[in-house]
């Protein structure tokens, strides 16, 4: 062998294959233990003079846009595109289900604030991924979806997994609309420059951006003859006019005001705290915005909406502010329940990057709408906002005392207390909660003091989002990510096997009660009988070990701390299977008070309302 080559074990080959085709590796001398390959630094990574394929050009331009991770499931129709991705500088993560890959891509984006890729083959690859991509759009992620579709000569001839207008609706899947901010089919290489200018522009703007590029199988291998554009992500964050800021200051200084913080304000945590402390304003937040304003701050009055705190309603009923400054939240159902009790006397000043948001949730309330990036707006507001002395004593979220335990099933509130101590306070892990009662327990009882450490989905709220998204978050942040999930979600869609393949430190804490308990408790509260929300009890530790991970089953409260500490120290995929008491009602004070204001009662003959409003 020459000095230009080095030895690598078979386990190391996968990362090298991302830079050099498998055929060239296999052509070198090897023995049973080692293959001989060129070191990365000895290779020419620049494109050769020869024309490159459309697939390679697409990947090159996505690299220019700063994308580092791609999540997906391959197939024959996208083999060339998959090969180009696999031989790029990106981390290419091969998942077990396209939906799981899409959820992972969403959470990888939020863990790093860098756009991500989802890749799938044609037909069912696309349809399987749609729910995760729907969540990406709803959550405000930046995700590029790469798929294959049937080549023009084969369309309408019943090709394998035919993906054309004959088999799938084009509107909304292959065109821009409610699902994708931008979508197109790449029919020839000449389209690439304008396609990628559009994508670069979309990624550069504040807020989310979800795009779909579908590339026919034959087009993937066609050659690009023209020069590709150089791309950047320099965006324009327009500054509100001085007149607009002056108008806001005038309204906010007419009387007491509160600040309602949403997930869209996550980049303005420092500025919001400065504004609150300068003005004495009470601060509340949506479930997704937990931690943007410290939850132990004396001016924090609680979380609104689903899983929220009764202290918010106490504040609105006893210290109604003149106005509320709404920052980066749509005030949708999970955040407000559209309760009229949340409408202040002087209305809202509603700031959002999306001009279609302000004034929609409460159309009859007086609203001053402002389109702006939240960080830019608050920075400008601080240049004119005067110092105000705080005069009121504000209510705060209360955590009820926990009575002594027994040797029976684990109470969810005790589990949350242990998670708070061991994980929230003892590590820097990202914690995410699945939809259902996992959401309400976690949102109500856990406390965070910094942005980016808590993740829930309130838009789509798909089961399976967190059980798979936790893998994407752990991979992207290269650190521990923890998912608090129900047994129903864990059975629906998990990627334990994927976590084992890449040895990522993902932890699943399963609230195992052998039922879809939000539905079970909700139907009981409504007085409805006969609906079946039970599922067979599953041993998730056995499942995890069958996939190559480890875990521990917890049946008593005294074992919780040790189990959590073991999972943290394990630093690889780990499942904590907690047998919880299904009779404990999920936290509902805040939402019940909000519903009471709307005339909804849960006693006698209850008004028929849909979950999770029960």
């Amino acid at each position: 062998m020459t000095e230009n080559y080095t030895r690598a074990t078979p386990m190391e080959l996968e990362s090298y294959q991302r830079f050099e085709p498998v055929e060239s590796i296999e052509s070198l001398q090897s023995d049973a233990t080692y293959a001989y390959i060129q070191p990365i630094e000895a290779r020419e990574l620049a494109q050769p003079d020869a024309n490159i394929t459309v697939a390679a050009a697409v990947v090159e331009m996505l690299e220019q846009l700063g994308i580092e991770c791609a999540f997906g499931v391959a197939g024959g129709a996208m083999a060339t595109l998959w090969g180009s991705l696999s031989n790029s500088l990106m981390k290419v993560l091969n998942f077990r289900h396209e939906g799981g890959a899409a959820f992972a891509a969403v959470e990888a984006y939020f863990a790093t604030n860098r756009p991500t890729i989802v890749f799938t083959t044609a037909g069912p690859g696309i349809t399987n991924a749609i729910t995760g991509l729907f969540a990406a759009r709803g959550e405000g992620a930046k995700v590029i979806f790469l798929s294959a579709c049937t080549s023009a000569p084969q369309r309408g001839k019943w090709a394998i997994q035919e993906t054309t207008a004959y088999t799938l609706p084009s509107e909304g899947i292959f065109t821009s609309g409610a699902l994708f901010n931008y979508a197109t089919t790449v029919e020839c290489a000449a389209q690439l420059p304008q396609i990628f200018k559009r994508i670069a522009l979309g990624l550069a703007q504040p807020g989310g951006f979800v795009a779909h590029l579908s590339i026919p199988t034959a087009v993937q291998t066609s050659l690009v003859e023209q020069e590709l554009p150089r791309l950047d992500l320099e965006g324009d964050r327009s500054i509100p006019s001085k007149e607009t800021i002056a108008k806001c200051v005038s309204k906010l200084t007419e009387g007491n005001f509160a600040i309602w913080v949403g997930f869209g304000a996550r980049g303005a945590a420092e500025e919001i705290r400065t504004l609150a402390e300068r003005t004495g304003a009470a601060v509340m937040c949506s479930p997704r915005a937990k931690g943007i304003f410290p939850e132990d701050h004396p001016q924090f009055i609680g979380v609104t909406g689903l899983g929220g705190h009764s202290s918010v309603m106490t504040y609105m009923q006893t210290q109604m502010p003149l106005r509320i400054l709404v920052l980066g939240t749509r005030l949708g159902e999970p955040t407000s329940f559209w309760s009229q009790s949340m409408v202040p006397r002087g209305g809202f000043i509603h700031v959002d990057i999306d001009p279609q948001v302000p004034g929609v949730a409460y159309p009859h309330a007086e609203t001053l709408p402002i389109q702006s990036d939240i960080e830019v707006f608050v920075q400008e507001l601080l240049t004119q906002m005067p110092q105000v002395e705080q005069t009121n004593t504000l209510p705060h979220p209360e955590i009820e005392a926990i009575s002594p335990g027994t040797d029976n099933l684990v109470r969810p509130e005790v589990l949350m207390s242990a998670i708070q101590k061991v994980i929230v306070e003892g590590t820097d892990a990202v914690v995410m909660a699945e939809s259902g009662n996992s959401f309400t327990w976690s949102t109500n009882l856990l406390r965070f003091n910094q942005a980016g450490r808590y993740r829930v989905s309130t838009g789509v709220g798909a089961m399976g989002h967190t059980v798979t998204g936790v893998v994407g978050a752990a991979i992207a942040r290269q650190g521990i990510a923890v998912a608090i999930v129900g047994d129903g979600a864990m059975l629906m869609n998990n990627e334990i096997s994927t976590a084992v393949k890449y040895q990522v430190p993902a932890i699943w804490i399963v609230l195992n009660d052998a039922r879809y308990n939000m539905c079970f408790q909700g139907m009981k509260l409504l007085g409805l009988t006969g609906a079946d929300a039970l599922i067979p009890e599953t041993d998730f530790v056995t499942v995890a070990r069958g996939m190559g991970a480890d875990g521990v089953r917890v049946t008593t409260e005294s074992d919780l701390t040790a189990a959590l500490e073991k999972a943290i120290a394990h630093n690889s995929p780990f499942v904590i299977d907690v047998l919880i008491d299904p009779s404990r009602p999920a936290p509902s004070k805040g939402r019940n008070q909000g519903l009471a204001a709307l005339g909804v009662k849960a006693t006698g003959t209850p008004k028929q309302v849909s979950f999770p409003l029960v």
Side-chain angles (χ1 to χ4, degrees):
M1 301 301 296
T2 71
E3 62 180 11
N4 292 328
Y5 294 88
T6 186
R7 296 197 304 176
T9 65
M11 291 184 64
E12 293 173 320
L13 283 178
E14 184 171 352
S15 61
Y16 283 103
Q17 289 170 6
R18 294 189 292 114
F19 297 93
E20 190 168 23
V22 175
E23 290 78 8
S24 64
I25 293 177
E26 292 175 342
S27 67
L28 299 173
Q29 290 185 1
S30 63
D31 55 38
T33 306
Y34 294 98
Y36 293 84
I37 58 181
Q38 280 185 298
I40 295 171
E41 60 270 17
R43 282 182 244 159
E44 291 292 334
L45 296 182
Q47 291 293 344
D49 293 334
N51 294 329
I52 63 173
T53 65
V54 165
V58 166
V59 172
E60 178 184 316
M61 287 190 284
L62 290 171
E63 286 181 324
Q64 284 187 41
L65 294 174
I67 297 179
E68 296 181 345
C69 293
F71 305 81
V73 181
M78 54 94 63
T80 304
L81 184 58
W82 184 35
S84 295
L85 282 169
S86 300
N87 287 285
S88 72
L89 297 174
M90 298 182 198
K91 295 178 183 176
V92 179
L93 294 311
N94 295 282
F95 273 59
R96 308 295 169 260
H97 190 274
E98 293 87 352
F103 287 128
V106 171
E107 294 309 318
Y109 167 74
F110 287 120
T112 61
N113 204 35
R114 301 183 72 91
T116 57
I117 289 172
V118 176
F119 62 88
T120 75
T121 192
I126 295 173
T127 57
N128 284 347
I130 284 178
T131 302
L133 296 165
F134 181 34
R137 180 71 183 266
E139 294 294 303
K142 286 184 165 71
V143 174
I144 308 301
F145 177 38
L146 302 179
S147 74
C149 64
T150 305
S151 302
Q154 286 76 47
R155 293 172 189 170
K157 297 168 65 175
W158 299 107
I160 294 175
Q161 296 180 334
E162 176 159 339
T163 304
T164 68
Y166 292 96
T167 58
L168 284 176
S170 297
E171 190 70 27
I173 296 179
F174 301 98
T175 60
S176 307
L179 180 57
F180 297 110
N181 299 94
Y182 173 64
T184 190
T185 300
V186 182
E187 299 288 8
C188 67
Q191 293 176 266
L192 293 183
Q194 60 95 356
I195 286 174
F196 273 88
K197 284 293 186 180
R198 288 175 180 266
I199 290 177
L201 179 63
L203 292 177
Q205 301 307 308
F209 181 75
V210 183
H212 180 194
L213 296 188
S214 191
I215 312 176
T217 303
V219 174
Q220 294 172 34
T221 59
S222 63
L223 298 179
V224 177
E225 298 179 356
Q226 74 272 41
E227 184 178 351
L228 298 175
R230 304 305 300 177
L231 304 170
D232 61 64
L233 293 181
E234 292 185 7
D236 175 29
R237 298 202 298 170
S238 299
I239 299 175
S241 69
K242 292 187 180 297
E243 292 75 18
T244 297
I245 296 297
K247 187 175 183 179
C248 292
V249 171
S250 176
K251 287 182 175 292
L252 293 175
T253 53
E254 288 178 358
N256 288 343
F257 74 94
I259 303 172
W260 200 341
V261 179
F263 188 61
R266 61 192 181 278
E270 182 178 344
E271 290 81 2
I272 292 171
R273 179 167 182 166
T274 300
L275 175 64
E277 292 175 347
R278 180 180 296 182
T279 61
V283 181
M284 51 192 160
C285 74
S286 69
R288 288 203 302 163
K290 280 173 67 70
I292 293 175
F293 191 82
E295 294 191 75
D296 62 359
H297 195 284
Q299 289 172 243
F300 183 70
I301 61 171
V303 178
T304 63
L306 184 59
H309 301 123
S310 58
S311 50
V312 174
M313 281 298 171
T314 299
Y315 168 77
M316 294 300 294
Q317 292 166 359
T318 62
Q319 302 182 40
M320 172 71 76
L322 177 62
R323 290 187 173 86
I324 295 179
L325 175 62
V326 180
L327 301 174
T329 169
R330 293 170 289 213
L331 298 182
E333 186 177 18
T335 294
S336 69
F337 294 126
W338 305 310
S339 168
Q340 292 303 307
S341 297
M342 295 302 297
V343 180
R345 301 188 306 277
F348 301 105
I349 298 174
H350 197 158
V351 188
D352 201 277
I353 194 63
D354 185 347
Q356 300 184 57
V357 165
V360 173
Y362 290 97
H364 301 298
E366 180 181 336
T367 301
L368 173 61
I370 299 173
Q371 182 186 6
S372 176
D373 173 77
I374 305 303
E375 182 182 22
V376 169
F377 171 82
V378 181
Q379 287 173 347
E380 291 300 307
L381 188 65
L382 287 170
T383 64
Q384 298 188 36
M385 198 71 190
Q387 183 82 30
V388 179
E389 292 294 329
Q390 180 175 347
T391 58
N392 295 329
T393 300
L394 299 172
H396 306 297
E398 294 183 1
I399 299 179
E400 296 182 4
I402 300 175
S403 60
T406 66
D407 291 333
N408 297 322
L409 298 172
V410 176
R411 290 168 291 174
E413 58 267 44
V414 178
L415 171 60
M416 295 300 144
S417 178
I419 292 172
Q420 178 73 35
K421 180 180 178 181
V422 177
I423 294 176
V424 178
E425 298 173 9
T427 75
D428 67 347
V430 169
V431 178
M432 49 188 67
E434 191 66 80
S435 59
N437 280 0
S438 301
F439 179 115
T440 56
W441 284 113
S442 302
T443 300
N444 188 271
L445 296 180
L446 298 182
R447 300 288 187 268
F448 295 87
N449 291 326
Q450 61 188 105
R453 288 205 58 198
Y454 185 65
R455 279 286 301 142
V456 290
S457 171
T458 57
V460 175
M463 292 178 65
H465 184 136
T466 293
V467 296
T468 55
V470 67
V471 180
I475 287 171
R477 73 188 301 266
Q478 298 181 19
I480 295 172
V482 178
I484 302 171
V485 307
D487 49 346
M490 197 69 174
L491 287 167
M492 185 174 289
N493 184 16
N494 73 69
E495 293 283 347
I496 295 174
S497 173
T498 306
V500 170
K501 175 179 174 67
Y502 299 107
Q503 282 299 292
V504 298
I507 298 172
W508 292 264
I509 301 173
V510 185
L511 280 62
N512 192 343
D513 52 16
R515 64 195 65 194
Y516 297 106
N517 210 10
M518 175 174 275
C519 295
F520 186 95
Q521 293 180 349
M523 296 297 281
K524 182 178 180 180
L525 185 59
L526 286 171
L528 301 175
T529 60
D532 183 9
L534 301 179
I535 54 180
E537 183 181 308
T538 302
D539 184 341
F540 289 101
V541 175
T542 298
V543 172
R545 288 175 177 163
M547 294 184 180
D550 200 0
V552 62
R553 173 167 269 208
V554 178
T555 58
T556 61
E557 294 172 355
S558 59
D559 292 333
L560 282 171
T561 297
L564 292 167
E565 290 175 344
K566 182 176 181 179
I568 293 296
H570 196 67
N571 204 38
S572 58
F574 199 91
V575 173
I576 304 175
D577 187 9
V578 185
L579 298 188
I580 65 166
D581 183 349
S583 68
R584 305 295 292 181
S588 58
K589 271 190 178 180
R591 60 179 176 172
N592 284 347
Q593 287 191 22
L595 289 168
L598 295 175
V600 178
K601 297 181 180 179
T603 58
T605 303
K607 181 177 179 179
Q608 185 74 23
V609 292
S610 62
F611 302 127
L613 285 185
V614 180

